[in-house]
Amino acid sequence: MSGLSATRIALIYPELLGTYGDGGNALVLERRLAWRGLPAEIVPVRAGDPVPADCDIYLLGGGEDEPQVLAAEGMRRTGGVTAAVQRGAVVLAVCAGYQVVGESFPGSDGLLHDGLGLLEIETRRSFGPAGEPVPPRAVGDIVVEPGPALGLPPLFGYENHGGRTRPVAGAGGEALGRVRRGVGDGTAAGTDGRVSGRVVGTYLHGPVLAQNPALADLLLTWVHGGLPALAEPPEIELLRAARARALEVA
Amino acid sequence: MTSLTPRTRAAITVGRLAADASRRFGRGSGEMIGGKLALRVSAGALGELAAQRPCVCVSATNGKTTTTRLLARALGTLGPVVSNSGGANMAAGVLTALARPPFDAPAALEVDEIWLPKVAREVRPRAVVLLNISRDQLDRSNETRRIAALWRQLGAELPGATAVANCDDPLVAWAAEGWSRQLWVSAGQNWTADGMVCPSCAQLLHRNDFGWWCDCGLARPEPSVLVSGSDELVWFGRHVHAKLDLPGRVNLGNAAMAAAAAKLFGVEVDDALAAMTGLGDVEGRYKEVPLGPGRRGRMLLAKNPAGWVEMMELLGSSPPRPVVVDFNSQTADGRDPSWIWDVPFERLIGREVHVAGERRHDMSVRLAYAQVPHDVHPTAEQAAAGAGAALVDVVANYTAFRDLLVRSAARARGEPGPPTAAFGPAGVADAVATLDETAPADGYRRYDDRTGYASPDKYENHDGYDSRGGYRSEGGYRGDEGYPGRSGGADEAGSRP
Ligand SMILES: [Zn+2]
């Protein structure tokens, strides 16, 4: 990719998928490029507007049930994210966004809704036998040990979701990682999230990249190839050390 | 009191005894525990006591304590008024207020936004003041639209009651639309991110400088009262001068709402506003407190993005003092600190900023990405000690604010105030947790950054990122616009803050 053209970071439907600081991920990516002297541009895509297919990174955040359904319908109708992924664009989808990039998810209307199918996963209120109570909402701190192929340190975050998520039979890609604390996907596999190609989904919600700069840089590497070295802001390592102590992660 | 049932009379006595005991043991005013026990003795006490007197309930995500206090002042021009205090704003705190004599005096009642329907169904208020709804403590599933729907439904259950409602907040306007009477006030809305989608039909709202509307027909109602300047209201077509001692335009909006509610009781606006003048702080908000040798702080509460945006406005209209940001994430704050990424901290660029609190490192990273130079200290007192001025503005969220008030009160009494150990958050928080009506039994471990708190002198402070040459900042980020896509008490915990 040319060093002259700005990396375009699409923030998808912040009014619908921006419940809790999700826009922070766009700022983290933009800053980490700018600190390296690489131009970047955040492209907010308002709900109702067509999703541009020419961005480099697409960010989907968390949202309440009804906005989540609207967001999925909007993206399916305009097709921009799907076209961009076929072109090799990067997607980070968190919380409700993670459910939306899968194949199907439940709405507050009790119906199943179609997702974008960018990840071969499905979300339900429960995968338990019919008649058994659905599991409680997963709310709290979460720590995920990423799969070794990703070469990432533990991911720290917060989760707040009702759905449970699993890969469909024969799904491509890998789990993002093993849950060391918290619930994550909430299945017997004990994992959270999915990575397939350049699409990443996770229940670590909101500004997940703020606490996990290595994940931010991984996404940027997918766009740029090798990145110039960055003298890491000291605040971030202090935060990671504080979280590791608080969450008892050695 | 003669028309009360014996059971309710007994309940009031039990409540008073418990409150007295609570006060003697130094656990605050005792409103919560007293009210809680009284409700246990007589479940109908709330309705019985309220039936004796005219009541107004005040609810909101932000500003309900201040507005209730302003309303009590305005109603006080007519005679005695009862009101809850200390932020005890659930059923127990409301009951304690109603159990105060004189029993026919009007009641100005602050009510938690989730508790409003439950309390108001019993209290049958003459009017309900509805200020705003915004994202707050999402880890408790307090979705904004759900609260608006609860309020809307309440209107149908209170025929004859008036909703004194902020027409600038679409969620509030939709909630109040179905009530039998409305008095619309334009109190403003600094934070619009929760008012982007129509609460009625979920389409995107249209907005311009004059209001908001939806294709489905829902639109901003025309207000009878509006804030038209930094010290002026338009009051039923007439310009009224309003000079408060509480700072900021947000408090003028609160005053307009309170004056509108007081009008329903026959209070003239000029009398109402005159009575509000002289109120300079509310439950510690806006108060100047001692923070240690040679240091004082003005206390500003900001417990969610909307609150922070209000405080940004206030800071922008005040002398440019150093700012101490004191940030926790205990249960009463919401465990999830993600929301600080919704706050346009870029507006602090150019200020001297110091960060403190249990989640100071989360705040520090947020400020680093906002390119706000700052340093980090375990406590607000230590942060203030390093500040370049004797008077600082402290912006704190709920438990940080509460704990700092407790410590500064001890300091003002001349007690040796170790800033951390004796009055540290854990002790107070434990007392609160045992009383908190809504504290979830979540089994969460309380965040306890021991290196920071237990040995403050060993804490390795570091300079803000401005001291480093390593960062490049090409710009491209417009701090004054927030980021794209965004527009913007030592109580005994009978309150959900
Ligand atoms: Zn509508």
Side-chain angles (χ1 to χ4, degrees), chain A residues 34-35 47 139-140 205 233 235 246, chain B residues 204 336 364 444-445 471-472 474:
Chain A
W35 284 336
V139 183
H205 84 173
E235 289 86 348
Chain B
L204 273 191
D336 182 0
S364 175
Y444 281 126
R445 185 169 163 274
Y471 292 65
R472 305 193 196 93
E474 270 73 7

Side-chain angles (χ1 to χ4, degrees), chain A residues 36-246:
Chain A
R36 292 177 163 104
L38 299 169
E41 181 189 1
I42 298 173
V43 181
V45 182
R46 275 175 57 90
D49 289 353
V51 179
D54 62 346
C55 289
D56 301 294
I57 303 178
Y58 292 79
L59 300 174
L60 282 66
E64 296 176 14
D65 289 352
E66 285 158 26
Q68 177 182 1
V69 171
L70 281 176
E73 285 172 359
M75 278 182 279
R76 283 168 53 77
R77 197 170 52 242
T78 67
V81 181
T82 305
V85 167
Q86 284 161 0
R87 233 187 1 84
V90 173
V91 175
L92 174 67
V94 308
C95 200
Y98 172 41
Q99 299 179 355
V100 164
V101 297
E103 297 191 344
S104 58
F105 64 90
S108 57
D109 49 13
L111 302 174
L112 269 189
H113 294 263
D114 285 339
L116 303 185
L118 303 176
L119 292 175
E120 292 171 304
I121 54 165
E122 57 187 4
T123 299
R124 299 291 182 272
R125 295 271 177 248
S126 166
F127 291 114
E132 275 193 13
V134 299
R137 217 177 153 75
V139 183
D141 292 310
I142 176 169
V143 180
V144 170
E145 189 68 48
L150 294 170
L152 296 172
L155 301 174
F156 300 136
Y158 201 90
E159 62 182 329
N160 185 349
H161 56 98
R164 298 293 184 267
T165 299
R166 69 183 180 193
V168 301
E174 301 287 337
L176 174 62
R178 184 175 57 83
V179 175
R180 289 177 61 175
R181 180 192 174 109
V183 176
D185 286 345
T187 67
T191 56
D192 174 75
R194 200 81 190 158
V195 182
S196 178
R198 292 176 172 181
V199 180
V200 178
T202 178
Y203 275 120
L204 275 66
H205 84 173
V208 55
L209 299 182
Q211 289 188 53
N212 302 291
L215 178 58
D217 285 353
L218 177 65
L219 303 181
L220 294 176
T221 304
W222 287 347
V223 176
H224 281 271
L227 288 169
L230 172 67
E232 191 72 59
E235 289 86 348
I236 299 172
E237 270 316 304
L238 286 167
L239 170 60
R240 284 191 60 84
R243 294 315 292 151
R245 279 196 304 276

Side-chain angles (χ1 to χ4, degrees), chain B residues 7-45:
Chain B
R7 178 165 280 275
T8 288
R9 265 181 271 172
I12 292 169
T13 307
V14 166
R16 286 209 185 116
L17 289 174
D20 286 348
S22 174
R23 269 193 296 274
R24 275 199 305 278
F25 287 111
R27 303 187 102 184
S29 71
E31 289 205 6
M32 224 290 299
I33 190 69
K36 217 168 167 179
L37 284 175
L39 277 174
R40 223 167 270 167
V41 173
S42 172

Side-chain angles (χ1 to χ4, degrees), chain B residues 19-254:
Chain B
D20 286 348
S22 174
R23 269 193 296 274
R24 275 199 305 278
F25 287 111
R27 303 187 102 184
S29 71
E31 289 205 6
M32 224 290 299
I33 190 69
K36 217 168 167 179
L37 284 175
L39 277 174
R40 223 167 270 167
V41 173
S42 172
L46 210 53
E48 275 185 62
L49 285 163
Q52 319 276 312
R53 53 168 105 238
C55 298
V56 194
C57 296
V58 178
S59 200
T61 306
N62 290 324
K64 51 190 177 286
T65 303
T66 300
T67 305
T68 303
R69 188 62 55 84
L70 291 167
L71 174 61
R73 285 216 160 202
L75 293 176
T77 61
L78 301 174
V81 180
V82 299
S83 190
N84 42 354
S85 61
N89 63 10
M90 296 187 272
V94 169
L95 179 75
T96 305
L98 292 172
R100 286 200 186 109
F103 290 95
D104 58 351
L109 303 168
E110 173 190 340
V111 188
D112 172 81
E113 58 272 31
I114 307 268
W115 277 77
L116 179 66
K118 198 176 156 82
V119 168
R121 255 178 234 128
E122 301 284 323
V123 165
R124 318 294 304 174
R126 184 184 293 188
V128 177
V129 179
L130 305 174
L131 291 164
N132 54 64
I133 299 173
S134 70
R135 62 189 67 181
D136 184 43
Q137 297 191 33
L138 292 196
D139 54 344
R140 292 191 188 172
S141 299
N142 296 333
E143 286 98 351
T144 54
R145 192 184 173 283
R146 186 172 77 92
I147 294 168
L150 287 172
W151 288 7
R152 187 176 165 91
Q153 191 191 341
L154 174 65
E157 297 171 51
L158 295 176
T162 301
V164 180
N166 180 7
C167 65
D168 295 325
D169 186 326
L171 286 162
V172 169
W174 177 72
E177 184 196 44
W179 288 51
S180 53
R181 292 196 194 95
Q182 299 88 11
L183 175 47
W184 297 110
V185 178
S186 170
Q189 189 185 33
N190 282 324
W191 167 260
T192 55
D194 293 307
M196 303 302 283
V197 176
C198 177
S200 177
C201 74
Q203 293 181 78
L204 273 191
L205 290 173
H206 307 284
R207 281 178 180 272
N208 64 18
D209 290 346
F210 307 104
W212 54 266
W213 67 97
C214 179
D215 293 335
C216 76
L218 187 71
R220 174 179 178 267
E222 270 308 304
S224 303
V225 174
L226 64 120
V227 176
S228 52
S230 61
D231 56 0
E232 190 188 71
L233 305 179
V234 175
W235 183 265
F236 295 89
R238 176 167 74 92
H239 285 265
V240 175
H241 183 71
K243 186 82 192 87
L244 298 179
D245 288 311
L246 291 175
R249 193 170 167 125
V250 59
N251 282 317
L252 194 54
N254 292 337

Side-chain angles (χ1 to χ4, degrees), chain A residues 27, chain B residues 190 309 312-313 342-350 366 370-372 475-488:
Chain A
L27 179 61
Chain B
N190 282 324
V309 169
M312 293 282 191
E313 299 264 330
D342 282 328
V343 178
F345 281 108
E346 291 75 9
R347 292 183 197 174
L348 293 180
I349 290 172
R366 172 68 188 98
Q371 310 205 85
V372 176
Y477 184 79
R478 299 275 301 277
D480 54 344
E481 290 176 358
Y483 42 85
R486 292 279 177 230
S487 49

